């Protein structure tokens, strides 16, 4: 975007009105709060909905398949960010894209709120995958547009926004989860739909006044000729997918397992191609090439980290349901509530971490070392889960505090890695690709979950010790290696810390 347009946007945004931040931040905060409320609320009960018996209101799937579906679903939700970035950049601009995304998400939850079958589940997933791809990366991009490049409030603006995400993620398992598990899954999903509806209302009613021109520009619009050819290609592509589906699904060729494998492969292939493309592009300079090389280990670390973190809603959720004492200290605990622990710890600890980094000033760990800590804590969060099975076997139910400890440890890692992740991506990606950095960063979560789709099916109480042990150890070992290579990384990063 030209500097002139940037200046115009900043002028159009009321620069005060939300905790000393531009007023538009409140619009984005609450929109994303409700979107995450709907997403994480839905995910807190989706796994159980899939594998609970039909007599208990579920779909009666087998557990390994349900776990894999959770992972590919998560993967596609982040992969589709690439589409969202493209639509905003070339067709609609960010705010319109966010709006359409919200509508699709809401309908996705509505489909699940009606009693239905596995087909309804897949339709809902399709809507939420595309909808989130349109909404999530773009709503974060608009946050950046509210501030001038030199505005010192910029980073804290992102931190406030991050609180909105986690506040939504914290409340929804308690609300959607309780209603979904205690009363009826569909009623739970309808609360998720209502959440997204409220998010849309906030967005539509306040965007004109609060966001000004932010997100209204189409940075790199398609020309008339390009439009024709692109739409023709999209049309042909969509047609081919429908035909392929129509042939492969009824004939039984496209099974869930094969589809899962396909997504897992895409999860590796897409980022690899992306890196090759950026590396070889004539627009990438020599210095940028070296930075790109340095970004690869960080990207891999991020994949491993998110693979462990995201298993919180799959493997640890299964553990909460099957292996944990849910009558504890006089309380009747719902297994979905454990999903609130991660965001709860984030809300309390994010300011503490920010304070620690400021206090440490120049002595704070480098970005590479922070990523290494991320891996160490993620690994530890799995390694501690060996202990209950090791001490008591897998026949007796486990004290819920073990899960609390595990979620706590992973959050320590998340706070080392996640807040710096996006900014590091922005700094290390070549300037010609800066518009796509949001999608690039989310791609690490997509790949993580694409890999998870294969791994999570290996978990069962019988394999528990080996499962937590191997994944935990791999993560710790990679963390140590990353720590050791951090001086070399510094050289390749060419002045970026
Ligand atoms: N949990 C965060 C969110 O939902 C981070 C997502 C990610 O990068 O995987 O926004
Ligand atoms: N901590 C995650 C994020 O920042 C939320 C979650 O996993 O519940 O949004």
């Amino acid at each position: 975007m030209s500097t002139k347009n940037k200046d115009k946007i900043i002028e159009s945004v009321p620069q005060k009105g939300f905790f000393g931040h531009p007023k538009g931040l409140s619009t984005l905060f609450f929109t994303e709060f409700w979107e995450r409320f709907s997403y994480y609320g839905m995910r807190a009960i989706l796994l159980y909905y899939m594998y609970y018996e039909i007599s208990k209101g579920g779909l009666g799937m087998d557990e390994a398949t349900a776990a894999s579906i959770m992972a590919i679903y998560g993967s596609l939700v982040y992969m589709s960010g690439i589409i969202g970035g493209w639509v905003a950049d070339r067709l609609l601009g960010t705010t319109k894209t966010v709006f359409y995304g919200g509508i699709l998400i809401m309908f996705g939850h509505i489909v699940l709120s009606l009693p239905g079958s596995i087909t309804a589940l897949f339709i809902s997933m399709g809507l939420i995958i595309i909808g989130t791809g349109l909404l999530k990366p773009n709503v974060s991009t608009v946050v950046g547009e509210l501030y001038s490049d030199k505005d010192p409030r910029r980073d804290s603006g992102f931190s406030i926004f991050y609180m909105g995400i986690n506040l939504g993620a914290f409340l929804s398992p308690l609300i959607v989860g309780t209603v979904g598990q205690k009363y009826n899954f569909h009623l739970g999903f309808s609360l998720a739909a209502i959440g997204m509806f409220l998010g849309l209302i906030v967005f539509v009613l306040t965007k004109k006044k609060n966001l000004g021109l932010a997100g209204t520009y189409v940075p790199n619009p398609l020309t008339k000729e390009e439009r024709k050819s692109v739409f023709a290609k999209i049309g042909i592509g969509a047609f081919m997918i429908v035909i392929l589906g129509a042939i492969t699904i009824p004939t039984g060729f496209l099974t869930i397992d094969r589809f899962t494998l396909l997504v897992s492969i895409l999860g590796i292939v897409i980022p690899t191609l992306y890196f090759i493309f950026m590396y070889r592009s004539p627009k990438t300079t020599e210095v940028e090439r070296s930075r790109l090389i340095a970004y690869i280990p960080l990207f891999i670390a991020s994949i491993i980290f998110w693979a462990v973190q995201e298993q919180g809603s799959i493997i640890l959720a299964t553990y909460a349901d099957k292996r944990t004492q849910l009558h504890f200290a006089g309380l009747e605990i719902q297994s979905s509530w454990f999903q609130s622990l991660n965001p709860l710890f984030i809300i309390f600890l994010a300011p503490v971490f920010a304070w620690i980094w400021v206090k440490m000033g120049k002595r704070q760990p480098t970005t590479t070392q922070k990523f290494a800590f991320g891996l160490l804590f993620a690994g530890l969060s799995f390694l501690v889960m060996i202990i209950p099975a090791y001490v008591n076997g897998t026949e007796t139910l486990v004290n819920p505090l073990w899960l609390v400890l595990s979620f706590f440890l992973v959050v320590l890692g998340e706070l080392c890695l996640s807040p710096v992740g996006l900014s590091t991506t922005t700094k290390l990606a070549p300037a010609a690709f800066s518009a796509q950095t949001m999608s690039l960063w989310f791609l690490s979560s997509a790949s993580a979950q694409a890999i998870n789709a294969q791994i999570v099916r290996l978990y069962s109480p019988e394999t528990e010790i080996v499962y937590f042990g191997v994944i935990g150890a791999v993560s710790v070992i990679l963390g140590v290696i990353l720590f050791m290579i951090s001086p070399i990384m510094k050289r390749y990063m060419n002045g970026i810390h």
Side-chain angles (χ1 to χ4, degrees), residues 32 36 39-40 78 136 162 164-170 172-173 306 309-310 312-313 338-344 346 407 411 414 418:
E32 182 60 343
R36 290 286 96 183
Y39 181 73
Y40 283 113
Y78 286 118
K136 177 119 171 77
Y162 184 54
I165 291 179
N166 281 285
L167 212 55
F170 163 65
S172 63
W306 288 114
Q309 196 268 11
E310 289 285 354
S313 65
F338 287 91
Q339 298 305 313
S340 287
L341 287 170
N342 169 307
L344 177 69
I346 297 261
F407 277 106
V411 164
E414 190 165 338
S418 178

Side-chain angles (χ1 to χ4, degrees), residues 26-65:
S26 75
T27 299
L28 303 170
F29 180 97
F30 287 109
T31 308
E32 182 60 343
F33 166 88
W34 283 117
E35 185 270 331
R36 290 286 96 183
F37 176 96
S38 71
Y39 181 73
Y40 283 113
M42 173 273 294
R43 272 186 78 91
I45 53 174
L46 186 67
L47 177 73
Y48 306 139
Y49 172 58
M50 286 193 283
Y51 77 58
Y52 274 22
E53 290 157 27
I54 298 176
S55 60
K56 285 192 185 157
L59 291 172
M61 289 180 171
D62 82 84
E63 275 167 43
T65 310

Side-chain angles (χ1 to χ4, degrees), residues 173-480:
L174 302 177
I175 299 171
V176 176
T178 308
V179 171
Q181 284 194 293
K182 260 193 125 152
Y183 301 99
N184 179 296
F185 282 120
H186 300 290
L187 208 57
F189 293 126
S190 56
L191 290 181
I194 292 172
M196 191 63 251
F197 175 70
L198 294 175
L200 275 166
I201 297 277
V202 171
F203 189 68
V204 171
L205 291 186
T206 63
K207 93 173 152 23
K208 239 211 182 96
K209 205 168 88 224
N210 292 351
L211 292 177
L213 294 173
T216 54
Y217 284 93
V218 184
N220 181 13
L222 289 174
T223 60
K224 266 220 170 86
E225 297 79 63
E226 278 177 325
R227 263 176 194 253
K228 268 196 201 134
S229 89
V230 167
F231 286 149
K233 278 185 198 147
I234 294 177
I236 295 172
F239 182 71
M240 300 231 302
I241 291 176
V242 171
I243 296 284
L244 266 177
I247 297 172
T248 53
I249 297 172
T251 51
F253 181 79
L254 189 66
T255 55
I256 292 181
D257 284 353
R258 285 199 177 131
F259 184 71
T260 307
L261 183 63
L262 180 74
V263 176
S264 298
I265 295 172
L266 280 181
I268 310 284
V269 170
I270 293 179
T272 310
L273 290 180
Y274 221 98
F275 274 100
I276 296 178
F277 186 69
M278 286 193 283
Y279 192 82
R280 299 184 52 175
S281 162
K283 291 180 190 156
T284 304
T285 65
E286 257 331 292
V287 172
E288 287 178 332
R289 285 213 172 98
S290 142
R291 287 185 183 148
L292 206 49
I293 297 283
Y295 186 54
I296 293 172
L298 298 183
F299 191 80
I300 294 174
S302 160
I303 292 178
I304 310 287
F305 174 80
W306 288 114
V308 174
Q309 196 268 11
E310 289 285 354
Q311 288 194 36
S313 65
I314 308 174
I315 298 304
L316 298 190
T318 308
Y319 195 95
D321 188 43
K322 306 241 148 172
R323 295 270 292 111
T324 309
Q325 295 162 14
L326 294 174
H327 290 275
F328 185 74
L331 274 176
E332 188 201 339
I333 305 171
Q334 300 296 325
S335 44
S336 52
W337 292 355
F338 287 91
Q339 298 305 313
S340 287
L341 287 170
N342 169 307
L344 177 69
F345 288 137
I346 297 261
I347 293 166
F348 281 109
L349 293 177
V352 177
F353 270 66
W355 178 80
I356 293 175
W357 301 145
V358 170
K359 259 273 171 287
M360 289 182 85
K362 281 215 159 73
R363 284 173 303 128
Q364 67 176 285
T366 62
T367 300
T368 311
Q369 288 167 343
K370 284 184 186 165
F371 273 61
F373 279 125
L375 284 181
L376 288 177
F377 285 120
L380 287 179
S381 80
F382 264 32
L383 290 178
V384 293
M385 294 310 289
I386 296 177
I387 302 171
Y390 185 76
V391 175
N392 289 325
T394 51
E395 297 294 318
T396 45
L397 291 178
V398 173
N399 186 315
L401 292 176
W402 284 104
L403 274 180
V404 176
L405 176 65
S406 178
F407 277 106
F408 176 75
L409 286 169
V410 90
V411 164
L412 296 183
E414 190 165 338
L415 285 169
C416 291
L417 181 144
S418 178
V420 286
L422 184 63
S423 68
T424 311
T425 312
T426 332
K427 288 178 200 154
L428 293 179
F433 296 89
S434 64
Q436 284 114 317
T437 46
M438 199 70 78
S439 341
L440 183 62
W441 172 243
F442 283 134
L443 213 49
S444 65
S445 298
S447 302
Q449 302 194 65
I451 296 169
N452 272 354
Q454 300 305 319
I455 300 177
V456 289
R457 48 178 70 226
L458 304 174
Y459 171 83
S460 69
E462 295 75 53
T463 58
E464 193 172 297
I465 292 185
V466 180
Y467 187 89
F468 286 129
V470 170
I471 299 177
V474 166
S475 187
V476 167
I477 291 169
L478 289 178
V480 172

